[in-house]
Amino acid sequence: PVTIRKISLNLGLATGVLLGMSGCQKMFDLAPEEALSTKQMYRDIYDADAAIIGLYGKFSTLAKQYVILNELRGDLLDVTSNADLALREINTHAVSESNEYANPRAFYEVILNCNDILKNFKIMLEQNKIKRAEYYQRSADVIALRGWIYLQLGIHYGGVPYVTESIETVTDVKSLATKSRMPLTEIIKQVIKDMEEIPASYLDPYTL
């Protein structure tokens, strides 16, 4: 058996007490030093490449959840006596709502990144910031990656919302909860349709 240790992520940050500082609001109205505004992104081919590299970096964070969902539910992995409850639930196919490995949020974070990149690549093409060949070479990668993720979601969850639009506001995010779930059979058809929109000359890497 393979021992798997749970990696806990500290997602909370301690906040200081800001009492008595209502007259000093301007001191907090500072532009972030390490964040890029929309105007600083998608300016040229180098920004397009940086977006692709960032997307694959985000995609790599799915590795742990992907392995657990696929292999621990199958025959290639098993739990040991010191495995936590979440791993035991996955192994026995009796998953509770709070199980971190069963949460599809991480997959959708990558999907929403894909959607944002595709939207901005199209804008770059329309504004002649990238050539048509450069656009298809990069957008084909993003579409293929998004399709693979949707296939994984369909396999593990049976039916999920199929989102292709860019999410930019809180209202847009809330609207995702109202979207109907697409079954795996329809997801497969939609992924094929999305891939078929890529010109044939750029499909070779994905048809092997």
Side-chain angles (χ1 to χ4, degrees):
V2 178
T3 301
I4 303 175
R5 295 181 180 178
K6 179 179 179 183
I7 301 176
S8 60
L9 301 178
N10 182 6
L11 301 178
L13 295 176
T15 57
V17 179
L18 302 178
L19 299 177
M21 304 183 68
S22 58
C24 304
Q25 183 174 354
K26 290 184 178 180
M27 69 184 297
F28 298 106
D29 296 335
L30 302 176
E33 297 181 359
E34 298 182 0
L36 295 177
S37 66
T38 304
K39 295 181 179 179
Q40 294 175 300
M41 299 171 61
Y42 301 107
R43 298 166 299 181
D44 50 37
I45 190 63
Y46 301 106
D47 283 348
D49 287 341
I52 294 292
I53 293 172
L55 177 63
Y56 277 105
K58 186 70 175 178
F59 172 66
S60 68
T61 64
L62 300 179
K64 175 184 175 182
Q65 192 171 0
Y66 170 78
V67 171
I68 295 299
L69 290 178
N70 280 280
E71 310 305 345
L72 191 55
R73 295 168 69 189
D75 299 326
L76 297 183
L77 290 180
D78 199 357
V79 294
T80 59
S81 58
N82 62 343
D84 62 20
L85 177 61
L87 293 174
R88 291 179 180 277
E89 288 181 348
I90 295 293
N91 189 48
T92 58
H93 298 257
V95 180
S96 63
E97 187 175 345
S98 61
N99 192 298
E100 60 180 300
Y101 299 105
N103 191 338
R105 176 172 179 169
F107 290 92
Y108 271 102
E109 287 179 355
V110 181
I111 287 172
L112 295 181
N113 283 336
C114 289
N115 295 345
D116 182 71
I117 289 173
L118 290 171
K119 173 188 174 181
N120 283 283
F121 278 4
K122 186 172 291 186
I123 293 174
M124 294 179 74
L125 177 63
E126 294 170 350
Q127 296 178 349
N128 296 317
K129 293 181 178 179
I130 55 176
K131 299 176 181 178
R132 187 165 296 275
E134 295 170 338
Y135 166 76
Y136 282 121
Q137 287 169 349
R138 288 155 182 80
S139 61
D141 268 2
V142 179
I143 292 172
L145 179 61
R146 185 182 66 184
W148 182 88
I149 295 174
Y150 269 124
L151 289 176
Q152 290 298 312
L153 288 173
I155 290 170
H156 294 299
Y157 299 97
V160 295
Y162 197 95
V163 184
T164 58
E165 62 268 21
S166 177
I167 303 299
E168 299 178 352
T169 66
V170 175
T171 303
D172 293 335
V173 173
K174 290 181 179 179
S175 69
L176 292 180
T178 64
K179 285 186 172 293
S180 59
R181 293 172 177 263
M182 183 180 291
L184 177 58
T185 53
E186 295 301 316
I187 289 176
I188 294 173
K189 293 178 182 178
Q190 186 62 53
V191 169
I192 293 174
K193 180 180 178 181
D194 291 343
M195 292 298 294
E196 287 178 341
E197 293 180 358
I198 302 171
S201 58
Y202 298 96
L203 279 176
D204 288 344
Y206 316 106
T207 55
L208 296 177

